[in-house]
Amino acid sequence: LKKEDRIMFFLVFTTIGNIFMAIVKFVLSLTLPSLWFFINAIFMIVLSFARFFSIRDYRKTKLIDDKEEIQKIGYKNYLNNGILLVVLGIMYFFVNVYIYYKGTNTTMHEYLTYLVALVAFWSIGSAIYGMIKYKRNHTPILKAVKLTNFANALTSIMLTQIVLLDTYADGYDSTLNGYTGMGVSLIIIGLGLYMIIGIKKDNKVL
């Protein structure tokens, strides 16, 4: 495959994978039931929809010869993803404030904990692969995908922590989940602000 085709394959493949994992989380949220799983599923679904727009914009840039127009599309996509991360990060923060005060209760069968770990492994793996494979590619759209993948991986790690502690740890301090979740939220907000400020600073969005 050509370089452009490999990038498109990466975008499409990880998007399909994220949608599948989001569906898994959503189904678990209904069968357990668990508000925490539901929130994580919605988070992942929103990022998957954002990925569709990134794929659309990337394909659009391949049909345009005007470099200035290509840059404009790429930087606008990058900015929109940054704004989305800030909004999701703020919402995620308040959810974790609630968890801090109310705690979590996601005890489940052992085989389901393996499924949750698999979802986290997919999210982390795709994020690491994208960062390493395309570390020298600074295309705004692909860079936005790498950062949103990383944000998604953080929420999956957080979910895995909650499930493992609730299922296997007896008498642990549940405020730990709230603290960790708020930390993850701040990182996600920071990623979004990094994207927004970086674009605005260079006046790259016309």
Side-chain angles (χ1 to χ4, degrees), residues 36 89 92-101 158 175-189:
W36 182 240
Y92 200 71
F93 181 85
F94 284 112
V95 168
N96 283 283
V97 169
Y98 174 84
I99 288 176
Y100 174 80
Y101 287 106
M158 178 63 200
T175 59
L176 173 64
N177 291 329
Y179 282 126
T180 306
M182 285 186 276
V184 167
S185 304
L186 293 177
I187 293 175
I188 293 173
I189 294 172

Side-chain angles (χ1 to χ4, degrees), residues 85-185:
L85 283 185
V86 171
V87 173
L88 289 177
I90 292 172
M91 295 172 63
Y92 200 71
F93 181 85
F94 284 112
V95 168
N96 283 283
V97 169
Y98 174 84
I99 288 176
Y100 174 80
Y101 287 106
K102 298 295 183 179
T104 56
N105 184 20
T106 53
T107 302
M108 58 177 64
H109 294 292
E110 186 174 354
Y111 70 91
L112 286 178
T113 64
Y114 296 147
L115 183 58
V116 173
L118 177 63
V119 172
F121 178 79
W122 161 264
S123 300
I124 297 167
S126 61
I128 293 175
Y129 175 83
M131 288 183 175
I132 295 177
K133 180 68 175 179
Y134 302 108
K135 63 181 178 180
R136 295 179 181 177
N137 189 314
H138 300 293
T139 304
I141 294 176
L142 186 58
K143 188 176 179 181
V145 169
K146 290 188 288 186
L147 290 173
T148 53
N149 267 352
F150 179 64
N152 183 55
L154 290 177
T155 63
S156 292
I157 293 172
M158 178 63 200
L159 177 62
T160 305
Q161 172 186 302
I162 290 177
V163 169
L164 292 178
L165 289 177
D166 282 358
T167 303
Y168 297 110
D170 295 325
Y172 80 98
D173 186 359
S174 61
T175 59
L176 173 64
N177 291 329
Y179 282 126
T180 306
M182 285 186 276
V184 167
S185 304

Side-chain angles (χ1 to χ4, degrees), residues 2-12 58 62 134 137 139 142:
K2 295 181 180 180
K3 180 180 178 181
E4 292 80 4
D5 294 331
R6 290 198 302 269
I7 293 175
M8 178 58 69
F9 178 79
F10 169 73
L11 291 174
V12 174
Y58 185 80
K62 296 308 167 186
Y134 302 108
N137 189 314
T139 304
L142 186 58

Side-chain angles (χ1 to χ4, degrees), residues 54-80:
S54 293
I55 293 174
R56 180 203 64 184
D57 289 344
Y58 185 80
R59 293 184 63 181
K60 189 185 298 183
T61 61
K62 296 308 167 186
L63 302 174
I64 300 174
D65 295 324
D66 187 348
K67 291 184 178 181
E68 184 176 336
E69 184 64 21
I70 291 174
Q71 282 191 337
K72 183 177 179 180
I73 293 173
Y75 289 132
K76 185 176 181 180
N77 179 276
Y78 188 79
L79 175 63
N80 289 338

